[in-house]
């Protein structure tokens, strides 16, 4: 804008000079015309002086104007130089910015390319995984169906096998009970009992029972006590304080909790360390006896463990 304004000022000044010169020429022309009308020596000198003065004045004005214009032009040039420098700086900055922006753009382009590449790879991978997942799901579904089918078959087999095993066990037990009954064993509440017809010491009696997969009788209830008494036989049972004098226990190691000692029994102290059923007509039928004594005995075989 400043540049354009300077240009405008200069042309205005030129116009002004042209106008002034033209006016002077007009005056000279006019006088020369008048001279032609009334020529005289005095007026010629005057006219000459006037012309010289006028010319001088015009020259002075023109010189002033030229100086003024030269100064203005110089100022304008300075201004223009500054503007030019500013423009150069601006262009330089713009170029630098442009380069910077272009570099950033290139960086972003590269990043975008990388990202696109990665995105493509990931998309491909995802698609592959989708296929694998679908296959796995199908396989899993098939395997589940297969497993359920096999489980069903196994359950059926289990049921069949179990019922077969139960039948076998039942048959075996029946056979065993028959054998026991035929060998003189009596069944009572999940156990089989055998009462000897001969007599032995307590230890020998026990060995006999053990050899038959049984042991001397252990009495755990009033019902069992009544059952034992009902045979009305003086016989060894599985009771002893051989391990600790005065501490009576059963042959399986269990302590004596409920006892059916006869009146004043046990009374043998260290002399009588094995138990028997003696006074079987009363509920409290037990007696402690010398273990070497020869008596009949009763074995108990537990059928349910
Ligand atoms: O039943 C009373 C008592 O009878 C006998 O002693 C006299 C017994 N001893 C023998 O038979 C060796 C005791 O054990 C019993 O307490
Ligand atoms: Ca006794």
């Amino acid at each position: 804008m400043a540049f354009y304004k300077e240009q405008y000022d200069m042309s205005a000044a030129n116009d002004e000079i042209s106008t002034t010169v033209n006016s002077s020429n007009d005056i000279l022309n006019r006088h020369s015309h008048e001279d032609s009308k009334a020529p005289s020596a005095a007026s010629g000198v005057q006219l000459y002086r006037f012309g010289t003065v006028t010319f001088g004045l015009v020259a002075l004005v023109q010189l002033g104007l030229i100086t003024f214009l030269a100064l203005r032009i110089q100022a304008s040039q300075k201004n223009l130089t500054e503007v030019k420098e500013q423009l150069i700086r601006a262009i330089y900055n713009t170029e630098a910015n442009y380069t910077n922006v272009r570099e950033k753009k290139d960086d972003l382009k590269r990043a975008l390319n990388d990202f696109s590449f990665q995105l493509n790879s990931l998309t491909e991978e995802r698609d592959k995984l989708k296929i694998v997942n679908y296959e796995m799901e199908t396989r899993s579904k098939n395997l589940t169906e297969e497993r359920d089918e096999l489980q069903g078959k196994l359950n059926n087999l289990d049921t069949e096998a179990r019922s077969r095993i139960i039948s076998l066990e039942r048959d075996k037990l029946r056979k065993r009970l028959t054998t026991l009954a035929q060998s003189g064993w009596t069944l009572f509440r999940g156990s089989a009992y055998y009462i000897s017809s001969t007599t032995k010491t307590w230890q020998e009696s026990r060995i006999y029972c053990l050899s038959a997969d049984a042991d001397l009788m252990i009495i755990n209830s009033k019902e069992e006590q009544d059952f034992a008494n009902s045979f009305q036989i003086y016989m060894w049972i599985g009771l002893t304080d051989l391990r600790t004098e005065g501490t009576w226990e059963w042959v399986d190691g269990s302590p004596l909790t409920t006892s059916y000692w006869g009146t004043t029994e046990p009374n043998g102290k260290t002399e009588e360390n094995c138990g028997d059923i003696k006074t079987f007509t009363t509920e409290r039928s037990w007696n402690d006896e010398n273990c070497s004594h020869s008596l009949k005995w009763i074995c108990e075989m537990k059928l349910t463990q």
Side-chain angles (χ1 to χ4, degrees), residues 7-8 22 43-44 46 64 68 72 76 98 127 139 147 159 176 197 206 210 212 224 226 261 267 277 282 285 289 301:
Q7 271 192 333
Y8 173 78
N22 289 340
S43 63
Q46 275 181 350
F68 171 74
R72 292 293 298 270
S76 294
Y98 175 72
D127 292 345
R139 207 178 294 175
R147 185 204 61 195
T159 313
R176 193 173 166 207
S197 51
R206 189 165 184 221
L210 288 170
E224 237 184 327
D226 291 343
W261 291 113
N267 58 3
I277 285 181
T282 60
S285 59
E289 199 81 61
M301 182 191 290

Side-chain angles (χ1 to χ4, degrees), residues 18 30 45 66 83 101 103 119 121 129-130 151 194 201 215 249 258 264 272 289 296 304:
S18 304
R30 234 184 355 257
V45 171
I66 286 164
V83 168
V101 166
E103 279 172 5
L119 185 67
S121 298
L129 283 172
K130 260 184 181 173
Q151 188 64 55
Y194 172 81
T201 65
D215 207 336
E249 61 183 358
T258 307
T264 72
E272 299 179 339
E289 199 81 61
K296 287 186 176 174
T304 50

